[in-house]
Amino acid sequence: MRLSKVLPLALVNFASAAIYESFADLPQQTFDFVIIGGGAGGNVVANRLTENPAFNVLLLEAGPSPEGRLNYTVPFFSIYLRQPGPLDWNYTVTSAGLNNRVITFPRGRLLGGCTCINGLGYARGSVDDYNRYATVTGDLGWGWDELQLYIRKNERWTPPTDHHNQTGQFIPKFHGFHGVNAVSLQGFPSPANFDDRIAATIQELGDEFPLNEDLNSGSPLGVSWQQSNIKHGFRSDSFSSYLGPEFINRPNLHVLMNTQATRVIQTSTNPVEFLSVEFASGPGDLRQRVTAAKEVIISAGALETPKLLMNSGIGDAEYLTSMGITPRVNSPQVGTNLSAHIAVSLVYNANTTQTFDQIVQNATFRDELVTMWNQTGGAGPLGNSYPSHNVLLRLPDDSPIFHHNTDPAAGPRSTHLQGTTQNGAISLTASGYFMSMPATLLTPTSRGSVRLTSNDPFAPPLIDVASLTTEFDIFGLREAVKMTHRFLSATAWQGYILGAAASTNLSIGATDAEIETYLRANAAPNGHVVGTASMSPKGAQYGVVDPDLKVKGVKRLRVVDASVVVSISLTLNESIYRCAHQPYLPTGSTMTTTYLVAERASDMIKATWQ
């Protein structure tokens, strides 16, 4: 099921001479900066660089604009953005640990990237996550305190659409109120009995599930209200915020849509530079080129960035030769170290008719809500995302898994396990009324890869997420499921939850063996993927980019997206890298982390050239 209505509400008109549909319309072919990819990373950099009127910037985006597209604007309709379609890269992934299933992996192929299709959750992770980035990269600027400036440059805390009293649901001192991208609490309440049941669970089981007034304080442990990138009932993505009407008409900002970069081309050997970008609209179309006078910035995302680097001759030299690509820069870890949060759906039959399932199942009711949303400027349940609360916990320090596995969390404030409470099911085919609480492992130790299927830049990559291929990951996700079962064992849920839905087929109280079987058949990476062009200390012979995000061995080429986020730590020496590295995923939303990376990167780029 996929809605296809065109949004009738009069939105801001983004049409401008700054946005181009055709290469022939570009005013020139040389720019100070060429940015590849208009997602969470690229749109931030494009915005911040063009604050300097002396900088001329071209942003290349493979897809079209989301403007006027209902599903990409209504927050609740993110449930319709999980299937293949024309505005998606239509990737599939696999893993031996997931029974070698071929799993659909949505990624936004449109201006705004995954910020236009995700579940809108705004979660930074912990103080410990960022302080570890600073430690292992040797750059204190990646630490929590140092990034506060960029948190506030990014975030504009916005009152919820229904203007309810926010006391006790967030802590203002931890937030920015004058940034670019909106963050808010739910703007339409769940039925009182649902939120009351969560409050009662916290009261009854508070030793394990304490209330945390703000998951974005840097100490996210406990049960917190959901915070989302929503502005007055509308999705707040990197397109509508960083390329919003107050920015898009800058005369030095140029955006070329429906244009996929195929290679960055070496323009100098001493020093090594890649300042020319080749691109085309499609596989059979004429390849065109533009040139950067100062830098090329790759912001194509954790899956397309390594593919683009390899197609450009930057990667493992032996592997590139085997694929028929001339090696230019030997960088063996391009496309390795892929790390992704792993999640599993848990859906239960609910003894109520007051769930959001009626929106999904009743087209007439849904159309009435669309009319309300249009006429009121975002009011009603469609202006919400579907989770109500986050449950974030650590594994106990005396867990048996730590007898022979190092704790992969960054520190005592970093979470291992996540559950999200949902007053309904996001399935488009189920009939009935449900309560969902999907479980996620936020600190996986499995490491996957992105490889090429051919030397055709338009061929999809081969993505092995490697999920559930380590002992820790099997244990950790199993414990996340058991955590949700304990949460739902509270008195408040008795008589409300009527057992597992047919899609789940896993009872509360299932054995470890039953849970593991269910996980291998049903778990999937949740879209938070990082690490395929990872940061490492300046001068290190491992990793792909330095802490300033410049590609190692190359001048004037940077990567600014989620692919840089995993920092590699070697405990002995580089020769045993593959068995000694640790995964450093943020224990929050990778979109949120990418915004902060891009904000800081923008200042580093400015400092180089101003």
Side-chain angles (χ1 to χ4, degrees), residues 422-449:
Q422 302 173 9
N423 184 36
I426 62 172
S427 168
L428 304 183
T429 58
S431 177
Y433 297 93
F434 306 98
M435 184 271 179
S436 303
M437 195 171 175
T440 303
L441 176 64
L442 298 175
T443 56
T445 60
S446 302
R447 304 309 287 263
S449 63

Side-chain angles (χ1 to χ4, degrees), residues 458-541:
F458 287 94
L462 182 66
I463 306 166
D464 180 1
V465 291
S467 297
L468 299 190
T469 55
T470 67
E471 179 187 29
F472 178 85
D473 290 9
I474 297 165
F475 178 90
L477 189 55
R478 189 174 65 219
E479 290 302 306
V481 171
K482 292 163 73 172
M483 175 194 75
T484 68
H485 289 175
R486 292 193 299 275
F487 187 88
L488 297 176
S489 71
T491 305
W493 303 104
Q494 294 177 11
Y496 185 85
I497 291 178
L498 302 178
S503 62
T504 295
N505 193 28
L506 182 71
S507 63
I508 294 177
T511 67
D512 285 0
E514 290 170 337
I515 294 173
E516 181 175 339
T517 298
Y518 180 77
L519 296 180
R520 294 199 185 279
N522 295 279
N526 70 354
H528 295 165
V529 56
V530 301
T532 50
S534 53
M535 270 193 285
S536 65
K538 192 172 183 63
Q541 297 304 303

Side-chain angles (χ1 to χ4, degrees), residues 119-134:
L120 301 100
Y122 176 80
R124 301 171 192 154
S126 77
V127 171
D128 300 327
D129 292 340
Y130 295 91
N131 288 346
R132 179 164 62 177
Y133 295 150

